């Protein structure tokens, strides 16, 4: 468990497994986090809304003259999110009809649906950023859970899901970091990208170091100190 803070986009920054690949040890409790989707490169992909931060232009004030400035998410953004939330809900319902209820998946779906419903409840723009991020978060986690159990390891089956072969290495998934060769081999066996980090003590005399690749901060999301809800801290 680590201490995190809410960043300006409503998420948790680099420590957040839906924002940056998690570190995976042997026998992880949440191994399916390695199946979180990567941001689509196609600018026309309808899923892109799940990576876009809420903008003031997407926030519709309920009463322009009110000093409290309460509002809701505008219809265009709400419709884009709704298509994906409804599709994920349908997939979970189909899963439960064929495989029975799985509490973890049901919990993810419920939180996704509840967060989406709250986008239509008047609130401040700051609070709406957080609710909007919750929709994105639980949609991604729901999708990752299904991808891991249904399409990668085939633990369960959903009849109307696309069963066409996936590529040997899934470039549509973020994957996970690891220093364990066992974990790396297992994840790669499922087509999951694995940045395999080797610690200094793992390097033996016959290893040849071709180049040193310095770590750089990932682009595309805030790494601020968490000024959305200061000085509140959360635990992840």
């Amino acid at each position: 468990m680590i201490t995190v803070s809410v960043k300006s986009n409503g998420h948790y920054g680099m420590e957040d497994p839906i924002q940056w690949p998690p570190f995976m040890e042997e026998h992880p409790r949440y191994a399916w986090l390695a199946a979180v989707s990567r941001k689509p490169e196609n600018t026309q992909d309808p899923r892109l809304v799940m990576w876009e931060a809420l903008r003031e232009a997407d926030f519709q004030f309920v009463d322009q003259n009110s000093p409290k400035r309460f509002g809701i998410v505008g219809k265009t953004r709400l419709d884009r999110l709704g298509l994906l939330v409804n599709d994920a809900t349908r997939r979970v319902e189909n899963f439960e009809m064929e495989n029975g209820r799985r509490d973890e998946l049901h919990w993810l779906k419920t939180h996704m649906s509840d967060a989406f419903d709250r986008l239509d409840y008047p609130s401040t723009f700051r609070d709406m950023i957080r609710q909007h991020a919750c929709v994105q978060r639980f949609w991604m986690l729901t999708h990752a859970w299904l991808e891991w159990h249904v399409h990668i390891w085939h633990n369960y089956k959903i009849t109307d899901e696309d069963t066409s072969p996936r590529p040997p290495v899934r470039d549509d998934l973020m994957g996970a970091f690891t220093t364990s060769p066992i974990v790396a081999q297992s994840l790669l066996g499922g087509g999951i990208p694995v940045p395999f980090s080797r610690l200094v003590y793992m390097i033996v005399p016959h290893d040849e170091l071709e180049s040193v690749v310095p770590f750089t901060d990932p682009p595309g999301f805030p790494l601020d100190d968490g000024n959305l809800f200061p000085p509140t801290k959360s635990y992840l």
Side-chain angles (χ1 to χ4, degrees):
M1 182 178 291
I2 59 174
T3 302
V4 295
S5 58
V6 181
K7 310 303 181 184
S8 58
N9 65 350
H11 294 291
Y12 296 112
M14 283 183 60
E15 291 82 5
D16 193 335
I18 69 167
Q19 298 276 287
W20 191 243
F23 180 78
M24 202 73 68
E25 297 179 334
E26 293 182 28
H27 311 296
R29 167 64 182 83
Y30 299 102
W32 52 267
L33 288 174
V36 171
S37 295
R38 187 188 297 255
K39 181 180 178 180
E41 295 183 359
N42 181 1
T43 57
Q44 302 302 313
D45 194 310
R47 297 174 300 160
L48 268 179
V49 69
M50 290 299 178
W51 283 265
E52 296 173 354
L54 184 68
R55 306 168 302 166
E56 289 194 41
D58 301 313
F59 188 67
Q60 178 182 329
F61 289 106
V62 175
D63 184 356
Q64 291 283 357
N65 299 318
S66 172
K68 295 185 178 180
R69 308 291 283 171
F70 284 170
I72 59 176
V73 173
K75 185 178 185 304
T76 300
R77 172 60 67 101
L78 201 64
D79 287 347
R80 292 175 65 197
L81 291 167
L83 288 173
L84 296 171
V85 169
N86 290 338
D87 181 67
T89 300
R90 176 192 58 80
R91 293 182 67 201
V92 174
E93 290 173 348
N94 289 345
F95 175 93
E96 292 182 343
M97 283 192 294
E98 295 192 42
N99 304 282
R101 173 170 162 170
R102 297 295 179 270
D103 289 342
E104 188 172 55
L105 177 62
H106 190 82
W107 182 85
L108 293 171
K109 187 264 293 185
T110 299
H111 278 267
M112 175 187 67
S113 299
D114 289 349
F116 179 74
D117 289 342
R118 289 194 294 270
L119 298 183
D120 202 33
Y121 297 170
S123 65
T124 63
F125 179 62
R126 185 198 69 167
D127 290 342
M128 193 59 77
I129 288 176
R130 181 61 185 139
Q131 295 304 324
H132 182 269
C134 284
V135 176
Q136 296 173 319
R137 178 180 195 81
F138 286 106
W139 179 85
M140 290 185 189
L141 295 178
T142 299
H143 187 274
W145 196 100
L146 289 170
E147 194 65 32
W148 176 268
H149 289 288
V150 175
H151 293 291
I152 295 176
W153 300 118
H154 309 291
N155 298 324
Y156 305 102
K157 179 182 177 182
I158 306 178
T159 301
D160 66 348
E161 292 274 300
D162 178 16
T163 57
S164 57
R166 266 51 174 179
V169 178
R170 299 281 301 276
D171 60 3
D172 60 324
L173 303 180
M174 285 202 303
F177 287 95
T178 189
T179 57
S180 166
I182 296 174
V183 173
Q185 186 175 20
S186 177
L187 293 178
L188 286 171
I192 298 171
V194 186
F196 180 38
S197 304
R198 299 187 66 187
L199 303 178
V200 173
Y201 72 84
M202 297 178 176
I203 300 176
V204 295
H206 64 264
D207 285 337
E208 295 183 8
L209 185 63
E210 294 184 359
S211 63
V212 176
V213 180
F215 180 82
T216 56
D217 289 339
F221 61 87
L223 296 174
D224 54 71
D225 291 331
N227 59 3
L228 190 60
F229 295 96
T232 304
K233 299 289 185 179
S234 302
Y235 296 94
L236 194 64

